[in-house]
Amino acid sequence: MTIDNVSINGTEYNSVTIRSETPLILDFDGMNAGQCAHEEGDISRPHFGRSGLLTDREFKMAKIAWSYFEKRFQSETGLVNAVGSYPSTTMWDTASYISALVAARELCIIDKREFDTRATKLLNTLRNLDLYNKEAPNKVYNTETGAKVNYANEAGEVGMSALDIGRLLVWLRILKERNPYLANSVDNVPMRWNFCNLVNEDGSMFGAFKRGDGSAQYVQEGRLGYEEYAAKGFALWGFDVDKAMSPEPLAYTTIYDVKVPYDGRDPRVFKNQNYVLTEGYILDGLEMGWDLPSDKSYDGLTASHGWRAEFANRIYLVQQRRYEQTGIITARSEHQVNGKPYFVYDSIFADGYAWNTLDPTGEYQPDRAAIAAKAAVGLWALWDTDYTDLLFESVADLYDPEAGFYEGLYENGNGYIPLQTANNNGIILAALLYKVQGPILQQINTSAQFWDTAYAGTGLRDNKCHPRLMEEVVPCCACENPTQLDPVIPLEEFLYCRAVPTTGETAATECQPEKHNLAPPTPRKVLASSCPIPGGN
């Protein structure tokens, strides 16, 4: 970088050239007001996608996204409404609030005092939640009272979601890693939970719902995209969820010449739809850099969970190609809608069809397809391309300045979705923080952890199926030299990332979707409806 007409210590220079192998942060008077000066360990390191301080426009966006959490905050509980003024939330949406809280503090939208006040109030509520079946958090809570409720926000319980709990575990880990003085309070939240029915012995995750007779029905939970992301939350706390972290069973469908992965389990047998959506992949990228939970290298340019980065690039590219071939600006994710059916899975692929928008009952809802704001900004942060610039412009001004960003913009021209949510605004804030700092999880706290040491050597951990983190498993002599297993995703399957073989999972680097190489759509020749007379007027 060369700067002309510089004065240094009273000496005038025509120009000064600055060279560095690591990112530089330059502060100018009046520029990027409100953004924090971080300690050396918090300065952004090289990472996938966009990098650098927020522009004035982007910083304004961050403040507007935070306004949702100011407007919908419940002071009695420290919880935030999941959707607008309706006083209800889930653990997924609570995790999105924590992501907003962390980003707002890191970007200096709020000061440490407000951050601490909000964080301690929230942790106090989470620590004392009335649990489903005395096991783990209920799927829904009233934000005004903190009581567990059903979907009508009436007193009761409906079950527990391993996916929601997994996302909350990711953000609880981020919260204590970035703020070690909160670690004890954070650790006491999951310390109360019983994980015996959440994580199976084979490493699968299970949720539960309440039967008509009041008993609990436990069912395997998660499909490709979301399952592995949520499993990382459990793995970050020491649980063995290897099966949930694996992409198998795996299938592919080809859309616009992109081999798109989807979950190979038959929904007719397993009664669970295999939606291919953007959100699970961008959350993994923004929060963990598509790394394995055990990876503490903090290398933002190598994804140690390589196939996740590879698949994420395909999920991005197929949406870009849809735009190139049809002109439809595309950033697909599940989202709220105004009025019935209230919520849709706006998929890239589902139920055998590409670009299939379904409500929770499986009904086709094509008029509810939208450019999801959270997906658009997430893709923009993770891929620095002309197409993501277009996505950004599609949603960057889609907000109420005092209530946050709207859910998205309908593809069919019916305008914007007039709803604001915690999940949408929380992910937008996380994406803006990613631009500044890179992957948000930074496992740099080497201090002893109460979660690791509490009740070690007693049966109390076993009673709740907590991992024995103060024990080291020593392999038997027959297992000292195990046969090297083939990678789950063959090296030749890495088309958009360069595979980096390791002794464990294949890592990935140099991830970059190819620029489109399909021919532009060609108009079909047809006969004219009329034929003018040659030379006629």
Side-chain angles (χ1 to χ4, degrees), residues 58-91:
E58 293 159 5
F59 185 63
K60 179 182 177 182
M61 289 173 62
K63 291 194 293 184
I64 289 169
W66 176 248
S67 71
Y68 177 87
F69 300 95
E70 293 179 319
K71 187 177 182 68
R72 304 306 180 186
F73 176 71
Q74 301 287 356
S75 59
E76 289 299 312
T77 62
L79 297 169
V80 170
N81 300 347
V83 183
S85 61
Y86 192 63
S88 174
T89 194
T90 67
M91 292 301 100

Side-chain angles (χ1 to χ4, degrees), residues 481-501:
N481 297 299
T483 302
Q484 180 65 40
L485 300 177
D486 292 332
V488 174
I489 305 299
L491 300 186
E492 60 269 19
E493 282 288 333
F494 284 76
L495 305 177
Y496 306 105
C497 299
R498 182 171 67 82
V500 181

Side-chain angles (χ1 to χ4, degrees), residues 190-355:
M191 190 64 68
R192 288 183 62 226
W193 303 348
N194 187 320
F195 289 84
C196 295
N197 290 318
L198 278 168
V199 179
N200 203 354
E201 290 182 357
D202 69 356
S204 298
M205 299 184 304
F206 280 73
F209 64 87
K210 190 174 182 178
R211 292 193 183 105
D213 62 3
S215 63
Q217 174 69 51
Y218 298 95
V219 292
Q220 185 277 326
E221 191 171 326
R223 292 295 180 267
L224 183 70
Y226 281 107
E227 183 178 13
E228 299 79 15
Y229 164 72
K232 288 185 179 184
F234 287 91
L236 285 168
W237 292 79
F239 292 94
D240 181 358
V241 283
D242 284 352
K243 186 169 183 180
M245 291 268 287
S246 171
E248 297 169 314
L250 182 61
Y252 297 95
T253 184
T254 300
I255 307 171
Y256 294 124
D257 208 29
V258 177
K259 194 176 177 182
V260 176
Y262 69 94
D263 197 291
R265 285 168 279 202
D266 190 335
R268 296 170 300 179
V269 175
F270 293 95
K271 311 300 181 185
N272 199 325
Q273 189 54 262
N274 304 345
Y275 308 104
V276 178
L277 301 160
T278 305
E279 189 164 327
Y281 292 100
I282 62 171
L283 293 180
D284 197 343
L286 297 172
E287 296 166 11
M288 293 172 279
W290 300 303
D291 279 336
L292 291 165
S294 58
D295 185 357
K296 299 182 180 181
S297 66
Y298 197 26
D299 179 355
L301 291 177
T302 299
S304 55
H305 207 182
W307 69 263
R308 290 287 289 176
E310 169 68 22
F311 285 3
N313 275 267
R314 299 185 193 189
I315 295 301
Y316 161 71
L317 182 58
V318 74
Q319 296 182 84
Q320 176 183 310
R321 287 192 173 171
R322 182 185 187 225
Y323 166 70
E324 292 165 352
Q325 291 296 299
T326 68
I328 302 172
I329 301 172
T330 305
R332 290 270 178 133
S333 195
E334 79 286 354
H335 55 78
Q336 301 284 332
V337 294
N338 193 33
K340 292 183 178 180
Y342 305 112
F343 183 88
V344 294
Y345 297 97
D346 204 6
S347 74
I348 294 167
F349 179 80
D351 204 19
Y353 295 94
W355 319 113

Side-chain angles (χ1 to χ4, degrees), residues 119-136:
T120 53
K121 185 68 175 179
L122 176 63
L123 290 170
N124 176 63
T125 293
L126 293 176
R127 165 65 177 77
N128 294 289
L129 287 176
D130 190 6
L131 304 176
Y132 170 75
N133 205 29
K134 299 182 179 180
E135 294 183 59

